[in-house]
Every structure is written in structure tokens, then in C-alpha cells.
């Protein structure tokens, strides 16, 4: 009869475990004795693994025309179905980030970028680094309005923002409200593509501030897309007459 009693006890235990699994309750770990010999058995608590996914934030770095390479990274995110919860764009990374944030489609970024260049906006020679007078951001007005319409910064599918740095105080101001086209008019102007106007400039060097903002928003994983590497926005041969821009971008690279 002893073996029969043991079999019934084992069967009852298995049924209890199966019932708890069906209703979604976690099973307890086996009891472990805290000491040898006789005495009460002390059950050790084993923490259950958390299934909460950490928030992912992406920072698209600056670099003029080189920033268009960021679209390939976004395409990889999309192909692997990796979610992006927050997006920040620095200088021309802001343009790429704004396009992607609208609907999360990387191919749309490539298409709109191609269309913009076909329209010669901004001047192709200036965008790709060759000598040409710096235009005003005003040359982009019609294009930005037509592409982003009346979309607000708060209406994007992926929360998006970009930084502007005040010239005199050095403070970083985030574009968190208003229309997208107005935000980009503030976040894009930077040498060598656009000349600086007014009292602010694109926050191309605001990487540390961007990381701090994402952490404040609860982002646990931060991906920085650096399109510059060891290079500059334009070839060295085209920068010899503008060494002030070279110094400026060296500071950006080491921000």
C-alpha cells in the first residue's frame, strides 16, 4: 500500500502544478533546506524574471548630407521589427528623424530625401560640401511646408524632438511643440549647409543633453547613430578655405 499512497500523492502534486500553469500562476521553486539534519524546511524565494520591455531611444547624429545614411539603420530596425519609442535628431539628423517619426517607414525617408535633392534643396553643391555661398534656411520653406503640412511635433507616430542651441547663452532648447516644419527650420541651420541667422543654431553638439533627456523620459536602451566617424561633413580639400568650420565640426565630433 505504501507505493500506492506515494503514487497518489505524486499524481495530486502534478495536477496541482498543471492547474496553476493553466491559470497563469508562476510555479514555486522546489523547497530547499537551509540546514542539514532534522528541522523545518526553509523555502528560498526566487525572483521571477520581468517581461517588461525597456524603452528604446534613437539619436540620429549630425553631418549634413552624411546624415542620409541614417535611413539604412532605421531600415534595419524596421526589418527586424525592433520598436523605437523615442527619436531625437541632431542637425540634419533632425530632418531624417522627423520623416521617420511620422509613420515609422524607412522607405519614405529615402524617397523624400531623394525628392528633396532632385529639387536642388538646399543647393546640391553646398549640401555635399563643395564651395558655394551658404544659403538661408528660407530656401527650404516651401518644401518643408509641403512635406510636413500642418503636422505638429506632438502628432508623430514616434515621439520626436530636436535641439536648438542659443548662441549667446549656450543653452539647449527642445522643440516639443508647434509645427514640424517650424521645428526643422530651427534645428537644421548649421555650417557648412546653412548660414546662421538670429540668436540660435542647430544643436549639433547636444549629444549629452539628448542622452539626459531620453533617460529622463524613462528610456532604458539608447542607440546613437554616428554618421561622421572620423570624417567631416565635407572633404578636406573643400575645407581649406573654411578652417573655422573644420574646428567647429571637430568640437561636434568630440561632444
Amino acid at each position: 500500500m505504501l507505493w500506492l499512497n506515494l503514487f497518489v500523492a505524486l499524481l495530486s502534486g502534478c495536477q496541482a502544478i498543471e492547474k496553476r500553469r493553466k491559470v497563469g500562476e508562476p510555479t514555486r521553486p522546489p523547497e530547499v533546506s537551509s540546514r542539514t539534519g532534522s528541522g523545518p524546511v526553509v523555502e528560498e524565494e526566487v525572483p521571477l524574471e520581468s517581461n517588461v520591455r525597456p524603452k528604446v531611444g534613437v539619436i540620429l547624429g549630425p553631418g549634413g548630407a552624411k546624415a542620409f545614411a541614417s535611413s539604412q539603420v532605421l531600415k534595419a530596425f524596421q526589418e527586424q521589427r525592433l520598436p523605437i519609442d523615442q527619436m531625437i535628431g541632431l542637425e540634419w539628423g533632425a530632418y531624417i528623424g522627423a520623416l521617420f517619426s511620422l509613420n515609422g517607414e524607412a522607405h519614405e525617408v529615402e524617397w523624400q530625401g531623394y525628392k528633396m535633392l532632385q529639387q536642388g534643396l538646399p543647393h546640391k553643391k553646398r549640401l555635399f560640401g563643395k564651395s558655394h555661398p551658404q544659403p538661408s534656411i528660407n530656401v527650404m520653406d516651401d518644401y518643408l511646408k509641403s512635406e510636413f503640412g500642418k503636422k505638429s511635433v506632438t502628432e508623430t507616430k514616434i515621439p520626436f524632438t530636436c535641439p536648438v542651441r542659443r548662441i549667446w547663452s549656450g543653452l539647449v532648447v527642445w522643440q516639443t511643440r508647434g509645427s514640424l516644419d517650424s521645428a526643422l527650420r530651427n534645428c537644421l541651420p548649421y555650417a557648412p549647409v546653412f548660414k546662421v541667422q538670429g540668436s540660435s543654431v542647430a544643436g549639433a553638439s547636444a549629444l549629452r543633453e539628448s542622452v539626459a533627456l531620453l533617460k529622463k523620459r524613462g528610456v532604458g536602451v539608447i542607440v546613437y547613430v554616428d554618421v561622421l566617424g572620423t570624417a567631416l561633413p565635407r572633404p578636406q580639400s573643400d575645407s581649406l578655405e573654411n578652417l573655422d568650420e573644420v574646428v567647429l565640426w571637430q568640437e561636434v565630433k568630440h561632444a
Side-chain angles (χ1 to χ4, degrees), residues 11-83:
L11 180 61
S12 299
C14 291
Q15 290 176 341
I17 292 175
E18 183 64 25
K19 181 178 180 181
R20 295 179 68 180
R21 286 176 178 170
K22 289 182 179 179
V23 298
E25 294 183 8
T27 58
R28 292 185 179 181
E31 296 181 345
V32 181
S33 176
S34 62
R35 58 183 180 178
T36 59
S38 61
V41 175
V42 179
E43 186 180 73
E44 295 183 353
E45 293 292 336
V46 179
L48 298 176
E49 294 184 3
S50 173
N51 293 323
V52 178
R53 178 184 66 81
K55 290 184 178 181
V56 177
V58 174
I59 304 172
L60 301 182
K66 293 180 182 292
F68 283 90
S70 300
S71 63
Q72 301 305 307
V73 178
L74 299 177
K75 181 184 292 186
F77 267 88
Q78 187 177 347
E79 290 175 348
Q80 297 301 318
R81 298 183 179 179
L82 299 175

Side-chain angles (χ1 to χ4, degrees), residues 118-136:
Q118 289 301 305
Q119 295 179 21
L121 296 171
H123 198 286
K124 293 181 180 180
K125 291 184 178 180
R126 172 54 59 179
L127 180 62
F128 287 98
K130 296 182 179 180
S131 179
H132 192 276
Q134 288 182 335
S136 163

Side-chain angles (χ1 to χ4, degrees), residues 11-250:
L11 180 61
S12 299
C14 291
Q15 290 176 341
I17 292 175
E18 183 64 25
K19 181 178 180 181
R20 295 179 68 180
R21 286 176 178 170
K22 289 182 179 179
V23 298
E25 294 183 8
T27 58
R28 292 185 179 181
E31 296 181 345
V32 181
S33 176
S34 62
R35 58 183 180 178
T36 59
S38 61
V41 175
V42 179
E43 186 180 73
E44 295 183 353
E45 293 292 336
V46 179
L48 298 176
E49 294 184 3
S50 173
N51 293 323
V52 178
R53 178 184 66 81
K55 290 184 178 181
V56 177
V58 174
I59 304 172
L60 301 182
K66 293 180 182 292
F68 283 90
S70 300
S71 63
Q72 301 305 307
V73 178
L74 299 177
K75 181 184 292 186
F77 267 88
Q78 187 177 347
E79 290 175 348
Q80 297 301 318
R81 298 183 179 179
L82 299 175
I84 298 177
D85 301 291
Q86 294 280 337
M87 176 77 71
I88 291 179
L90 309 181
E91 198 243 1
W92 271 87
Y95 171 75
I96 307 300
L99 283 175
F100 185 78
S101 296
L102 282 175
N103 51 28
E105 296 291 338
H107 72 270
E108 184 69 14
V109 176
E110 294 178 317
W111 165 243
Q112 295 298 343
Y114 174 79
K115 187 166 67 172
M116 183 195 71
L117 294 178
Q118 289 301 305
Q119 295 179 21
L121 296 171
H123 198 286
K124 293 181 180 180
K125 291 184 178 180
R126 172 54 59 179
L127 180 62
F128 287 98
K130 296 182 179 180
S131 179
H132 192 276
Q134 288 182 335
S136 163
I137 186 64
N138 295 336
V139 301
M140 296 284 291
D141 281 354
D142 292 339
Y143 173 79
L144 293 177
K145 289 179 180 179
S146 65
E147 295 305 322
F148 295 99
K150 296 181 179 180
K151 281 285 187 178
S152 169
V153 176
T154 59
E155 295 177 341
T156 56
K157 181 177 181 180
I158 301 173
F160 166 80
T161 187
C162 56
V164 171
R165 191 178 294 278
R166 299 303 187 194
I167 294 176
W168 304 112
S169 65
L171 294 177
V172 169
V173 179
W174 295 99
Q175 308 299 290
T176 57
R177 62 182 64 183
S179 62
L180 266 175
D181 65 285
S182 295
L184 292 178
R185 290 184 81 261
N186 295 328
C187 293
L188 288 178
Y190 208 75
V193 181
F194 295 115
K195 62 182 178 181
V196 177
Q197 296 181 136
S199 60
S200 62
V201 67
S205 60
L207 177 57
R208 295 179 183 177
E209 292 89 343
S210 299
V211 172
L213 178 63
L214 291 178
K215 288 184 176 180
K216 184 178 179 180
R217 292 181 172 182
V219 173
V221 177
I222 300 175
V223 178
Y224 175 55
V225 183
D226 180 13
V227 299
L228 286 172
T230 59
L232 292 172
R234 61 181 183 177
Q236 180 176 338
S237 58
D238 295 327
S239 303
L240 296 178
E241 297 180 359
N242 297 282
L243 294 182
D244 54 339
E245 293 179 4
V246 176
V247 173
L248 185 65
W249 278 98
Q250 289 292 357

